[in-house]
């Protein structure tokens, strides 16, 4: 499963001692070929962590042999020393992999980190950890790798789609600081399909645009978001471009849904469907505005179908609509019709974890879905009681 | 004090029975002249409540004789019936004032409402309430009026500035749904200075731009925000334009600070100073991004000087800056220097209610101050436990 579901990959997850509680905190994913094509998508936050800057650079040639990931520290806002540490980590991975087979350069190794911003990584623990992880690499190591990248995640997240002779699989971590472009997440996807970097890049961008970029748990954008897709070609099959893109989208959608389902302190997963928009951009803008409205998020937590807060969120956007033509349904009950009172709000059943808000802009035929969470006292507690 | 501190105004605040708990819920402010110049600023939310649409319309000629305000219901998203109710309220005010003196038309009466969105006002209680309020109008009624417009406010808010022979005073309500352009608030300012509508409008826009528009308690923009400034000319003094504008700004700043100090569930008032920005717009954009970062707001609640969350908020803006030139101080301790670790975060003392975050963009010489609140379990409770 996970990143080792596709042929041509090994992985490991170990406890290097970066986390003080002794939990697993270092993962290694290695592409054993024959191809080493790769693509990546990174945070659009202008304050980027050292590993993001590094990985963007090494991906420029569309090839990766390995990805090393650590939890327990984001290595963001750590200055030149932080970048040197990322570089040293990649060098160490190259060294230990070269010791075990064909020569690997640091420029073939992506690095991803997650945890507290503004703290240097304990390199005296991380580098020996790389050595230990390399010793445990296995074609069945995907699950352990997924476990090692958890931070406040309560469960590890993996997904696999298998098609005719080829597979796309992946792992993700992310529980807070989840917002568009991308959610705070580290994701590694692997495939044994025989494809080049350009096809990977195209499929990955299409997929993230409709999945991770439409997850908005708490409106906060991370400094470390990284989504990588590696292809080994080990299946010896070259799928049609559309079929491959759809498989990548499926895996990303599955992982994105798991991220929302495990968001910090959340008691509800909110599916916001914006329909009849003039453009897809309008639909996304409105969906995000609803997703980020703290008052509405509190109301959903309280199982209160407070559609007035939906309308006030729509009203802050520049999307095309007429206020007196707006319709809003909560869990299928059209509580707002023509911008005013609609069906009886007492009819809305909000007992279940998933809540669906449908916002009908009555301005066209485009639509979009944004996933969000409610705002809870547990979220406040989890993010105020200690640094993360 | 309040709206009756300036000469030429009477006011009243009574319980009309709009609120089920029997608290005061209807205020009336009357300009007894000799002038009736007025200006107003309204929510930029495109979903505007009926009273906002009405008041914008009656203000077109720059004159107002009275303002009637109710709490207990926002009369927003209430369709044509809601607008008819606002119109009927203004007609009723005109009628009862005409009965007591010179003829007044409904077109001289502004209406403001606050409370739950999407519910029609109980007109059978509101209209008799107008009659009752008119009977209690007094040159000392300003405080009662300020009390009657409270919703979840724990205290009523008034401010007065007196200059050489003339006065600007006012009242405000607002505790949640506070965000730029404007905060969720109803504000009535009065002056006995002898000025026309154009001067009032100019002074009011200058003042709100730097005060109410820079308050962002919870990122949520209301459908009902209204700030009115009425001039009676009763002092017989025409102040210099700049001096008057400064007095209006002082009163607005005082009221805005009171709004932040009484925000729903807040335990901290956060003063966000953005300095050395390339433009004032950049400074405001960065300030608002910091103000709306839920993770940072939680950290401040937990008295955790988590400057990484400040940087990640700055990174989402389009302001001019270099990530490795950013500096951040929390309560005067420069915990982030050159985009990396600065002074020891243990030095930051966050025990007091006011917290100052200084973000130095190192990109120019412009600055701005945004006021925000922390995010607390009490905020979640207050906004999830019942509809508001």
């Amino acid at each position: 499963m996970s990143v080792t579901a596709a042929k041509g990959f090994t992985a490991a997850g170990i406890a290097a001692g970066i986390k003080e509680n002794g939990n697993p905190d270092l993962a290694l994913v290695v592409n054993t070929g024959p191809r080493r094509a790769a693509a990546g998508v990174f945070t659009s936050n202008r304050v980027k962590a050292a590993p993001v800057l590094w990985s963007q650079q090494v991906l420029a040639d569309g090839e990766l042999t390995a990805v090393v990931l650590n939890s327990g520290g984001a290595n963001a806002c750590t200055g030149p020393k932080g970048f040197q540490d990322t570089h040293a980590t990649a060098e160490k991975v190259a060294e230990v992999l070269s010791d075990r087979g064909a020569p690997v350069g640091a420029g073939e190794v992506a690095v991803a980190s997650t945890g507290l911003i503004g703290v240097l990584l304990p390199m005296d623990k991380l580098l020996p950890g790389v050595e230990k992880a390399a010793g445990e690499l296995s074609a069945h190591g995907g699950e352990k790798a997924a476990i090692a990248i958890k931070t406040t995640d309560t469960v590890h997240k993996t997904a696999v789609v298998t098609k005719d002779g080829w597979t796309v699989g992946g792992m993700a971590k992310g529980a807070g600081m989840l917002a568009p472009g991308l959610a705070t997440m580290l994701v590694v996807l692997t495939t044994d399909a025989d494809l080049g970097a350009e096809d990977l890049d195209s499929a990955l961008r299409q997929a993230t645009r409709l999945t991770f970029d439409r997850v908005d748990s708490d409106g906060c954008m991370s400094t470390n978001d990284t989504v990588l897709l590696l292809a080994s070609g080990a299946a010896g099959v070259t799928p049609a471009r559309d079929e491959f893109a759809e498989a990548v989208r499926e895996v990303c959608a599955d992982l994105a849904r798991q991220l929302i389902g495990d968001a910090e302190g959340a008691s509800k997963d909110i599916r916001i469907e914006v329909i009849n928009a003039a453009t897809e951009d309008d639909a996304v803008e409105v969906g995000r505005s609803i997703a980020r409205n703290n008052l509405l998020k509190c109301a959903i937590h309280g199982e209160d179908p407070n559609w007035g807060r939906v309308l006030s969120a729509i009203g802050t956007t520049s999307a095309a609509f007429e206020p007196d033509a707006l319709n809003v349904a909560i869990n299928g009950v059209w509580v707002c019709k023509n911008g005013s009172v609609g069906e009886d709000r007492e009819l809305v059943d909000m007992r279940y974890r998933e809540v669906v808000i449908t916002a009908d802009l009555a301005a066209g035929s485009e639509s979009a879905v944004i996933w969000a969470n409610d705002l809870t006292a547990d979220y406040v507690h989890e993010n105020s009681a200690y640094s993360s």
Side-chain angles (χ1 to χ4, degrees), chain A:
Chain A
M1 302 302 288
S2 177
V3 288
T4 48
K7 289 188 285 280
F9 291 92
T10 58
I14 60 121
I18 305 166
K19 285 180 181 164
E20 288 182 4
N21 63 11
N23 284 344
D25 49 19
L26 193 132
L28 188 58
V29 181
V30 178
N31 183 347
T32 57
R35 291 193 80 133
R36 267 128 190 139
V41 177
F42 300 90
T43 184
S44 53
N45 198 310
R46 292 169 59 204
V47 176
K48 294 186 204 310
V52 169
L53 297 171
W54 170 266
S55 297
Q56 283 183 314
Q57 201 170 301
V58 299
L59 253 178
D61 65 355
E63 297 219 334
L64 282 181
T65 296
V67 186
V68 58
L69 310 95
N70 75 275
S71 51
N75 198 8
C77 306
T78 45
K81 177 69 171 74
F83 193 81
Q84 286 162 23
D85 287 348
T86 289
H87 185 178
T89 305
E91 289 283 4
K92 182 72 180 174
V93 171
E95 178 196 317
V96 298
L97 292 182
S98 298
D99 287 351
R100 282 168 176 75
V104 176
E108 299 164 55
V109 181
V111 182
S113 300
T114 177
L116 187 61
I117 298 174
V119 178
L120 288 167
L121 290 170
M123 296 304 287
D124 58 327
K125 292 174 177 158
L126 199 153
L127 296 181
V130 169
E131 190 124 13
K132 184 176 170 195
E136 298 191 11
L137 282 168
S138 145
H140 306 287
E143 187 154 3
K144 280 193 177 168
I147 291 168
I149 59 175
K150 284 169 57 186
T151 53
T152 55
D153 305 67
T154 64
V155 292
H156 62 285
K157 288 119 184 158
T158 65
V160 174
V161 167
T162 296
K163 297 286 179 179
D164 191 20
W166 55 276
T167 292
V168 179
M171 63 180 187
K173 90 98 212 168
M177 216 186 243
L178 287 174
L182 310 162
T184 295
M185 56 175 64
L186 304 183
V187 178
V188 180
L189 307 171
T190 56
T191 182
D192 44 21
D194 191 10
L195 291 166
E198 274 183 36
D199 286 337
L200 300 182
D201 187 70
S202 159
L204 187 60
R205 282 177 199 283
Q206 283 178 54
T208 54
R209 190 179 79 81
L210 294 172
T211 56
F212 299 124
D213 278 353
R214 296 201 177 167
V215 161
D216 194 327
S217 173
D218 62 2
C220 297
M221 188 196 292
S222 154
T223 49
N224 286 58
D225 303 324
T226 300
V227 182
L228 299 172
L229 170 58
L230 282 65
S232 68
V237 179
T238 302
R241 187 179 280 205
D242 285 357
E243 195 187 2
F244 180 71
E246 174 56 21
V248 174
R249 197 200 58 75
E250 274 179 52
V251 171
C252 289
D254 187 339
L255 292 172
R257 184 68 186 78
Q258 291 181 55
L259 292 174
I260 280 290
D262 191 33
E264 284 172 351
S267 71
K268 302 283 186 193
D269 303 337
I270 313 172
R271 178 183 165 92
I272 301 162
E273 307 171 336
V274 182
I275 62 173
N276 298 324
T279 65
E280 187 180 349
D281 283 351
D282 274 8
V284 171
E285 183 191 357
V286 166
R288 286 184 180 163
S289 178
I290 295 170
R292 292 183 173 187
N293 189 285
N294 277 353
L295 287 171
L296 176 66
K297 287 156 75 86
C298 289
I300 300 298
H301 176 52
E303 303 189 346
D304 169 15
N306 196 321
W307 59 267
R309 293 177 182 175
V310 178
L311 257 68
S312 78
I314 298 173
T316 64
T317 71
S318 59
F321 69 83
E322 291 302 324
D324 58 5
L326 294 170
N327 305 297
V328 174
I330 301 179
N331 283 351
V333 179
W334 290 94
V335 283
C336 170
K337 288 185 181 172
N338 298 318
S340 183
V341 188
E343 290 172 33
D344 187 355
R345 41 174 284 153
E346 299 298 325
L347 298 173
V348 183
D349 181 355
M350 298 179 72
R351 283 171 300 171
Y352 301 102
R353 184 172 173 107
E354 186 168 320
V355 173
V356 181
I357 296 176
T358 311
D360 171 8
L361 301 188
S365 57
E366 297 296 320
S367 64
V369 172
I370 300 282
W371 281 94
N373 291 108
D374 58 342
L375 181 55
T376 71
D378 285 347
Y379 175 91
V380 173
H381 178 73
E382 192 157 342
N383 289 296
S384 62
Y386 57 88
S387 271
S388 63

